[in-house]
C-alpha cells in the first residue's frame, strides 16, 4: 500500500486552498495571507512548504496537470480505436476531478499569466504540446493529411472555449454533460 506522507497531505490541502483563493480573489492579487486564511494555516507555513507564492502557483499548476494526466491514462486504458482515444482526451479534460468552476478559473488565470512567468510558460508549452500531439496522433488515422491540423485546432479551441466559459460560470458545472458535448464535437469534426 502506498501511504501518503504528512507533508504530501498538507501540500495537497494548501494547493486546494490555493485553487479556491485564486478563484475568489484573482491570480494577480491573491496574497499568501488569502491562501493561508482559506487553508486555515499561516503564510509562514506556506512559505515553508513552497518557498514563495510563485513556487506555490507552480506546484498548483503541476497538481492540476497531474490530475489531467491521470484522467488521460485512465481513458486510454479502455480505448481501442483512434476515435476512442480522441474521446479519452476530451473526457480527461472534462473529468469529474478536474472540471469544476474553481479549477477552470485557476487554469485560465494561470495560462493568461504564463507569458509573464518563465515557470508557468514552460508548463503551458509542455501541456499544449502534449494535447497537440495526442490529437494529431489520432486524427492522422481518421482524416486526410490536409484536414488534420484544422481538426486539431477545432478540438483544442473547443476545449479552451468550454473551459473559459466554465471559469466564468456562477453555477456548478456538469462534467457528464460536458463530456457528452465534447464527444459530439469530436463526431462533428470527424464527419
Amino acid at each position: 500500500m502506498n501511504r501518503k506522507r504528512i507533508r504530501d497531505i498538507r501540500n495537497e490541502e494548501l494547493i486546494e486552498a490555493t485553487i479556491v483563493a485564486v478563484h475568489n480573489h484573482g491570480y494577480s492579487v491573491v496574497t499568501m495571507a488569502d491562501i493561508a486564511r482559506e487553508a486555515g494555516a499561516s503564510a509562514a507555513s506556506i512559505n515553508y512548504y513552497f518557498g514563495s507564492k510563485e513556487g506555490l502557483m507552480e506546484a498548483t499548476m503541476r497538481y492540476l496537470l497531474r490530475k489531467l494526466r491521470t484522467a488521460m491514462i485512465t481513458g486510454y486504458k479502455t480505448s481501442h480505436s483512434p476515435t476512442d482515444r480522441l474521446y479519452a482526451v476530451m473526457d480527461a479534460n472534462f473529468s469529474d476531478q478536474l472540471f469544476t468552476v474553481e479549477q477552470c478559473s485557476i487554469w485560465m488565470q494561470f495560462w493568461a499569466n504564463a507569458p509573464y512567468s518563465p515557470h508557468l510558460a514552460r508548463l503551458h508549452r509542455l501541456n499544449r504540446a502534449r494535447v497537440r500531439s495526442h490529437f494529431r496522433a489520432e486524427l492522422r488515422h481518421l482524416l486526410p493529411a490536409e484536414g488534420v491540423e484544422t481538426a486539431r485546432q477545432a478540438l483544442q479551441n473547443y476545449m479552451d472555449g468550454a473551459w473559459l466559459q466554465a471559469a466564468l460560470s456562477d453555477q456548478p458545472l456538469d462534467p457528464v454533460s460536458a463530456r457528452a458535448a465534447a464527444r459530439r464535437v469530436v463526431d462533428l469534426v470527424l464527419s
Side-chain angles (χ1 to χ4, degrees):
M1 186 162 98
N2 205 5
R3 293 177 55 185
K4 283 189 174 182
R5 299 177 309 164
I6 296 289
R7 180 182 181 105
D8 294 336
I9 293 169
R10 190 60 182 149
N11 282 357
E12 195 168 308
E13 291 171 351
L14 295 172
I15 286 169
E16 290 290 344
T18 301
I19 291 167
V20 173
V22 169
H23 172 68
N24 290 338
H25 299 281
Y27 178 86
S28 60
V29 297
V30 74
T31 65
M32 294 292 257
D34 295 328
I35 296 166
R37 198 169 18 263
E38 185 64 41
S42 69
S45 69
I46 296 173
N47 279 323
Y48 171 78
Y49 285 108
F50 299 99
S52 65
K53 179 181 171 185
E54 181 72 21
L56 175 58
M57 295 302 168
E58 184 179 350
T60 301
M61 198 63 236
R62 288 181 183 281
Y63 173 77
L64 293 173
L65 288 167
R66 279 192 304 275
K67 279 186 170 186
L68 177 58
R69 182 176 179 266
T70 299
M72 287 190 64
I73 289 169
T74 300
Y76 268 43
K77 285 180 182 176
T78 59
S79 299
H80 304 292
S81 71
T83 303
D84 286 347
R85 287 186 289 277
L86 285 174
Y87 290 155
V89 172
M90 295 303 253
D91 287 353
N93 279 275
F94 297 103
S95 71
D96 293 354
Q97 296 76 28
L98 196 60
F99 194 64
T100 66
V101 171
E102 295 80 11
Q103 290 179 122
C104 289
S105 172
I106 196 169
W107 192 281
M108 288 295 144
Q109 291 183 64
F110 274 142
W111 291 158
N113 284 280
Y116 315 105
S117 165
H119 296 291
L120 292 181
R122 180 179 169 280
L123 291 174
H124 183 264
R125 280 191 311 274
L126 291 171
N127 180 62
R128 296 300 281 188
R130 184 179 308 129
V131 172
R132 192 169 33 250
S133 173
H134 286 301
F135 280 142
R136 283 182 182 153
E138 306 313 329
L139 290 168
R140 283 187 189 121
H141 298 291
L142 298 165
L143 297 173
E146 63 273 5
V148 168
E149 187 56 22
T150 301
R152 193 244 355 127
Q153 287 176 357
L155 293 175
Q156 204 156 355
N157 289 341
Y158 173 78
M159 283 191 324
D160 290 346
W163 271 66
L164 179 58
Q165 191 173 11
L168 299 172
S169 178
D170 59 356
Q171 300 294 315
L173 303 180
D174 180 3
V176 173
S177 294
R179 286 191 297 274
R183 284 176 172 232
R184 287 192 301 274
V185 170
V186 169
D187 293 341
L188 283 171
V189 166
L190 295 179
S191 64

